[in-house]
Amino acid sequence: MQNGAFPVLVPEPKPYLAENLTQFARFGRERRGFAGMIDEALAAHPWRETTLRPLHSALLRNLETTDSLGAEIAAQQSPEEHAAAGGEPHDPTSGQADYGPELLGFVQTDWSDAPEMAAQRATVMEKVGGMLDRFSSGGPALLLGGGAGRAYYDLAPRFERLMGCDLCYTYVSLYHRVQRAPVPLAEIHFPTIATDVVATPFVAQRPAAAGERTHDAYFVADATRLPVADASQRTVISIYFSDCVPFPALVRELHRVLEPNGTFVSYGPMIHRSVPPTGWFTPSEVMAIARQAGFECEFQEWSELPFRESPHHGIRTTHRVWAYTLRKRG
């Protein structure tokens, strides 16, 4: 199913889009409720203007973008489908899908020019690029779970053909929007704050020196049910994603889509987001599952990565990151 500027290549696109629209509507209502609470607090405590007004402005700045994302989906649906998803036909009062309030912070990591975000991106690309130089023989290649798409954007020049995907509609849509024009957003620090700055406006945009892209094959897809042919990929890459899906299902799909002697490159922590406890595998268990599926490990190492550092965050996080490569037995 083609969605405007990008394909939605999940097995059942209509239910997928309906669920996203429901999430947009729910989060939109929550954030408008939050904005209303701020209005009430300002009326009762005008001395908090310098704190609460930027927070209110940040919420509205983000809602302008997420409303338009919801309208983008609603425009593809019949009035009956839209109403069933929890909205009114042609009424773009929607919110933010999938990852809730953290979502736009991750977009900032990918597309803002904040020095701490640029430093994190540079570290990740240095590590992943080094593994690709040593263990990959090039493309065709596929990036899994690419989020808001910056890794896809930065890695594409390495390959004659690189495809990328993520199951989050919001991420994929924002990737394509950023390629067309800057997108104004804001990161909300409240309530885990360390300074008087409770929200930071930013602009998600391509690098200033960016030229025209030769290809942009970035689409919505499920990494465990990929819309690509058997043995069609020489390299598959996962950055901060291998722990987000059940690893046995992921490695089976990797074995299907990689050509003989093809390479899987993985970089990220073992946080096991969105995976039930029965899928929380240890590193040695991951390697055992990979061997049973027909892979051999060629390289692995652990390192530390300061994650989304900001002087305004009340919590600082350093991730223990596992980098490894698997080669499909020929």
Side-chain angles (χ1 to χ4, degrees), residues 8-279:
V8 177
L9 302 179
V10 295
E12 298 183 78
K14 284 191 175 183
Y16 167 84
L17 290 171
E19 172 58 26
N20 270 268
L21 188 55
T22 299
Q23 292 182 19
F24 273 77
R26 181 175 64 249
F27 282 106
R29 287 192 295 270
E30 290 175 356
R31 277 145 188 77
R32 284 183 168 76
F34 188 15
M37 292 169 60
I38 294 172
D39 285 331
E40 293 174 2
L42 280 167
H45 307 288
W47 60 273
R48 298 194 67 196
E49 175 82 16
T50 56
T51 298
L52 295 180
R53 186 60 63 189
L55 183 59
H56 191 273
S57 298
L59 282 167
L60 297 184
R61 183 181 175 103
N62 289 346
L63 277 168
E64 183 175 353
T65 295
T66 53
D67 282 353
S68 68
L69 289 169
E72 184 178 278
I73 297 177
Q76 305 168 66
Q77 296 187 313
S78 69
E80 293 76 18
E81 289 171 329
H82 189 182
E88 294 297 326
H90 312 298
D91 175 16
T93 55
S94 56
Q96 154 182 327
D98 245 27
Y99 294 104
E102 290 190 282
L103 173 77
L104 297 178
F106 291 125
V107 176
Q108 182 192 33
T109 305
D110 271 12
W111 293 108
S112 83
D113 57 3
E116 58 272 14
M117 305 306 170
Q120 179 178 316
R121 292 195 300 264
T123 299
V124 172
M125 283 297 105
E126 179 183 4
K127 294 287 189 180
V128 173
M131 289 192 289
L132 289 170
D133 289 341
R134 290 177 61 187
F135 301 104
S136 168
S137 54
L142 172 63
L143 174 69
L144 303 179
R150 183 55 181 266
Y152 172 77
Y153 183 92
D154 289 341
L155 289 171
R158 285 180 162 268
F159 300 94
E160 181 179 350
R161 180 65 170 171
L162 176 68
M163 296 188 295
C165 66
D166 197 282
L167 190 55
C168 178
Y169 181 95
T170 307
Y171 279 154
V172 177
S173 184
L174 281 172
Y175 169 80
H176 288 282
R177 288 175 180 226
V178 167
Q179 305 318 302
R180 297 192 296 268
V183 178
L185 294 166
E187 182 182 15
I188 296 172
H189 309 301
F190 217 68
T192 55
I193 53 177
T195 71
D196 286 338
V197 178
V198 297
T200 304
F202 70 93
V203 176
Q205 59 187 343
R206 296 197 304 165
E212 291 298 316
R213 301 303 298 270
T214 57
H215 66 274
D216 258 328
Y218 198 63
F219 49 86
V220 172
D222 182 344
T224 64
R225 296 184 290 178
L226 291 165
V228 301
D230 295 357
S232 61
Q233 305 300 308
R234 191 168 302 154
T235 305
V236 176
I237 306 160
S238 168
I239 301 174
Y240 265 69
F241 178 70
S242 297
D243 61 326
C244 294
V245 293
F247 189 74
L250 175 63
V251 80
R252 283 194 300 270
E253 191 69 344
L254 290 172
H255 194 272
R256 182 184 72 79
V257 303
L258 279 168
E259 63 184 32
N261 296 308
T263 302
F264 175 56
V265 173
S266 181
Y267 176 89
M270 298 275 287
I271 299 177
H272 297 301
R273 292 159 291 191
S274 307
V275 177
T278 53

Side-chain angles (χ1 to χ4, degrees), residues 240 266-270 301-305 319-323:
Y240 265 69
S266 181
Y267 176 89
M270 298 275 287
E301 72 171 14
W302 289 84
S303 60
E304 293 189 348
L305 178 70
H319 285 171
R320 285 277 294 160
V321 177
W322 188 22

